[in-house]
């Protein structure tokens, strides 16, 4: 794939994206909506049959797997003109990690609302619980399916940090829920930048000035992984904003490339902040390497 014009633009220029495609937009939306409904129905049938014999966290593992398999990954796998390629030298998840017996925390750079769909397609059969805005859990069928999957809700306070500050006390609850998943063997996926590249012009400029070319990572989840000896798997993703740019509800055909790095371990770093910063550099260096290969 050629290097997208906005790959290293801080902030991205909306005029440099390809024209939106009615066909791509329609397929993306229809496949997504059908997937949400189908997943929720399947989850309900599973939960009140086989799921009755399982613990809550094990049931959430399988409901999450169904969500990623039926609803998330088909959006990019079946939409005409959209493709996802995982690099040949990417890390291969172990059988224990795939089976939900040995948890990891997957982290990725955040460029588009399409990122969770792209990651689901790239990471399966690994099932991960996603950290997402609490408002998304209210969406009929899709939000209901996320809740049954055990995904984690971030509660933002409209009065704090321009609407991106969290409700007081909610971060501790979120970390406790994440810890419960780790203890059960479930993996988690987060976007440590907290927002998509391009939403805040100021943060984009700061990212462009940083060696990683990424926005700031915050350490609480890295501290949790360090304390619980949960490895962090860094993922670098290129091209998702070419499908679904920030500020738009129309999609276009595009290719995405994903590189999965080898796990990083908190015990190798003196502090949670050092661990956090090292992971930021790993994701950023991988992203810039994907850009370099695309430009070659």
């Amino acid at each position: 794939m050629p290097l997208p014009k906005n790959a290293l633009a801080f902030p991205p220029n909306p005029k440099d994206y390809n024209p939106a495609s009615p066909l791509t937009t329609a397929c993306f939306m229809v496949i997504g909506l059908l997937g949400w409904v189908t997943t929720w129905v399947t989850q309900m049938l599973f939960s009140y049959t086989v799921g009755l014999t399982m613990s809550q966290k094990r049931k959430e593992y399988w409901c999450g797997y169904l969500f990623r398999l039926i609803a998330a990954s088909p959006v990019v796998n079946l939409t005409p003109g959209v493709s996802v390629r995982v690099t040949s030298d990417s890390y291969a998840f172990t059988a224990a990690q795939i089976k939900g017996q040995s948890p990891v925390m997957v982290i990725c750079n955040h460029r588009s609302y399409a990122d969770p769909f792209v990651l689901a397609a790239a990471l399966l059969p690994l099932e991960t619980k996603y950290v997402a805005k609490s408002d998304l859990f209210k969406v009929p069928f899709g939000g209901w399916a996320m809740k049954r999957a055990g995904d984690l809700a971030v509660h933002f306070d409209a009065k704090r940090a321009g609407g991106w500050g969290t409700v007081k006390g909610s971060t501790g609850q979120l970390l406790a829920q994440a810890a419960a998943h780790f203890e059960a063997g479930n993996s988690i996926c987060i976007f440590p930048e907290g927002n998509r590249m391009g939403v805040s012009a100021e943060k984009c400029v700061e990212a462009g000035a940083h060696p990683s070319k990424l926005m700031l990572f915050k350490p609480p989840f890295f501290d949790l992984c360090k304390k619980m000896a949960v490895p962090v798997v860094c993922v670098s993703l290129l091209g998702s904003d070419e499908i679904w740019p920030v500020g738009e509800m129309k999609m276009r055909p595009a290719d995405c490339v994903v590189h999965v790095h080898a796990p990083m371990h908190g015990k190798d770093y003196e502090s949670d902040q050092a661990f956090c910063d090292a992971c930021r550099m790993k994701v950023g260096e991988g992203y810039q390497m994907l850009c370099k290969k695309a430009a070659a």
Side-chain angles (χ1 to χ4, degrees):
M1 61 177 283
L3 179 66
K5 291 181 180 179
N6 276 318
L8 294 172
F10 304 96
N13 185 351
K15 295 181 180 179
D16 285 335
Y17 288 112
N18 291 328
S21 164
L23 176 62
T24 302
T25 302
C27 290
F28 196 100
M29 295 296 187
V30 170
I31 294 170
L33 290 172
L34 289 175
W36 285 356
V37 174
T38 304
T39 296
W40 182 76
V41 171
T42 305
Q43 286 177 336
M44 291 293 288
L45 291 172
F46 171 81
S47 296
Y48 291 102
T49 54
V50 179
L52 293 174
T53 66
M54 300 178 178
S55 67
Q56 180 63 27
K57 284 290 177 281
R58 193 59 184 169
K59 185 160 56 176
E60 288 174 351
Y61 166 86
W62 283 110
C63 282
Y65 183 83
L66 290 170
F67 187 31
R68 262 46 96 175
L69 180 68
I70 299 173
S73 60
V75 171
V76 291
N77 286 335
L78 300 180
T79 297
V82 173
S83 71
V84 177
R85 178 175 65 85
V86 180
T87 60
S88 59
D89 57 340
S90 282
Y91 171 72
F93 292 99
T94 67
Q97 290 166 348
I98 291 172
K99 293 177 181 178
Q101 300 169 345
S102 179
V104 299
M105 183 172 79
V106 175
I107 67 169
C108 185
N109 55 308
H110 200 12
R111 299 191 62 86
S112 169
Y113 279 143
D115 291 345
F117 304 103
V118 173
L119 279 183
L123 298 180
L124 279 174
L126 181 75
E127 152 59 9
T128 62
K129 306 306 174 188
Y130 283 77
V131 178
K133 292 171 60 176
S134 59
D135 290 348
L136 294 176
F137 290 77
K138 301 174 184 177
V139 177
F141 297 105
W144 303 342
M146 289 173 64
K147 187 173 182 179
R148 283 202 166 272
D151 288 344
L152 306 176
V154 180
H155 297 274
F156 290 106
D157 186 340
K159 298 179 181 179
R160 299 181 62 191
W164 291 104
T166 55
V167 173
K168 188 175 181 179
S170 64
T171 300
Q173 295 175 359
L174 181 65
L175 291 171
Q177 293 168 358
H181 273 305
F182 286 151
E183 289 174 355
N186 294 339
S187 295
I188 287 174
C189 180
I190 69 170
F191 298 101
E193 292 173 287
N195 208 338
R196 293 158 295 144
M197 186 71 73
V199 171
S200 168
E202 181 181 353
K203 290 184 178 181
C204 283
V205 172
E206 293 174 355
H210 192 271
S212 69
K213 304 303 179 187
L214 301 179
M215 294 182 288
L216 182 68
F217 282 20
K218 294 184 178 180
F221 273 94
F222 296 92
D223 178 52
L224 178 65
C225 288
K226 185 175 173 62
K227 288 177 178 177
M228 297 188 68
V230 173
V232 172
V233 176
C234 298
V235 174
S236 302
L237 166 60
L238 172 65
S240 59
D241 57 316
E242 295 294 316
I243 301 172
W244 191 347
V246 168
E248 291 200 28
M249 285 301 295
K250 295 179 181 179
M251 293 75 184
R252 55 269 291 148
D255 301 319
C256 296
V257 182
V258 175
H259 180 72
V260 184
H261 301 266
M264 299 175 68
H265 303 271
K267 64 181 177 60
D268 297 330
Y269 301 89
E270 293 184 358
S271 67
D272 57 337
Q273 187 64 60
F275 188 27
C276 174
D277 292 343
C279 289
R280 181 185 184 187
M281 285 303 302
K282 178 65 70 175
V283 175
E285 289 170 354
Y287 178 75
Q288 291 174 70
M289 180 57 66
L290 292 177
C291 291
K292 184 177 180 180
K293 290 181 178 180

